[in-house]
């Protein structure tokens, strides 16, 4: 089996890291809970335009409106606070020990995404890392998944044995469906709403992997006839 795993909010707590940094920045600036809520909302789970987030931060905290500098400040803050979710390295090691191949497939800049991987020491636990900025394509574009499969020599793999797992329906699940692979959604307890339907849903990446394993497990022996 081949696992194409999203990074942010799937393997590592990117939103948790942003919220921790923002809380510290607000406190240092003498801001309020409303300021913190506005900054976190503006971030949009990492999918908002970075300069738009920076503008809200600068306005709320009274910083100079040098938006590229503000972007660099909050990116550095995320790197300082980001952590892998509990048990993730062991999960990845377990998949590879069973002969599976594991690729991190992430949208973002090379410096930021590889910085998170280095900070969380994940590189030794996966077979490859594919970053959108380096490849000129970003999820939901299925080309990024094709690059990932090629990176581990699996271009011709049976797509039923390939799983794209991530927390973003509009990016991860949509990319997996466009690439013709199976999909798992890390829901964090959210409702899918009108997003593309994944094959498997779990609150955490551990739950998704367990659900996939359950699907792949051979059926037990038929009960004895009386």
């Amino acid at each position: 089996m081949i696992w194409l795993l999203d990074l942010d909010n799937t393997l590592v707590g990117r939103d948790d890291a942003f919220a921790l940094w923002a809380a510290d920045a607000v406190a240092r600036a003498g801001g309020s809970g409303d300021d913190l809520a506005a900054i976190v909302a503006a971030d949009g789970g990492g999918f908002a335009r970075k300069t738009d987030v920076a503008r809200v931060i600068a306005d709320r905290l009274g910083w100079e409106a040098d938006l590229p500098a503000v972007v660099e400040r909050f990116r550095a803050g995320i790197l300082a606070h980001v952590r892998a979710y509990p048990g993730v390295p062991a999960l990845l090691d377990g998949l590879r020990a069973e002969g599976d191949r594991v690729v991190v497939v992430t949208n973002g800049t090379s410096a930021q995404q590889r910085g998170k991987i280095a900070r969380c020491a994940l590189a030794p636990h996966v077979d490859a890392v594919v970053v959108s900025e380096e490849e000129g394509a970003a999820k939901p574009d299925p080309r990024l998944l094709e690059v990932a499969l090629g990176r581990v020599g699996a271009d011709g793999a049976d797509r039923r044995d390939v799983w794209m797992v991530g927390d973003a329906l509009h990016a991860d699940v949509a990319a997996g469906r466009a690439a013709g692979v199976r999909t798992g959604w890390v829901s964090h307890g959210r409702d899918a709403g009108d997003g593309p339907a994944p094959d498997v849903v779990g609150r955490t990446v551990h739950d998704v992997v367990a659900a996939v394993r359950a699907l792949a497990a051979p059926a037990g022996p038929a009960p004895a006839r009386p």
Side-chain angles (χ1 to χ4, degrees), residues 23 36 77 99 153 157 175 177 183 198 214:
L36 177 58
R177 291 183 63 177
T183 58

Side-chain angles (χ1 to χ4, degrees), residues 159-165 176-177 180-184 199 215:
R159 297 305 168 103
R160 292 171 296 182
D161 294 329
V162 180
W163 285 84
M164 177 68 229
V165 176
R177 291 183 63 177
V181 306
R182 303 178 83 179
T183 58
D199 294 292
L215 283 178

Side-chain angles (χ1 to χ4, degrees), residues 135-180:
E135 308 301 337
K139 297 173 292 183
D141 190 329
R143 289 180 296 168
L144 199 65
L145 279 60
E146 300 294 345
V147 170
L149 291 173
R151 199 63 52 82
V152 291
D155 308 73
D158 186 332
R159 297 305 168 103
R160 292 171 296 182
D161 294 329
V162 180
W163 285 84
M164 177 68 229
V165 176
D167 72 298
L169 290 168
H170 71 281
D172 303 308
V173 173
R177 291 183 63 177

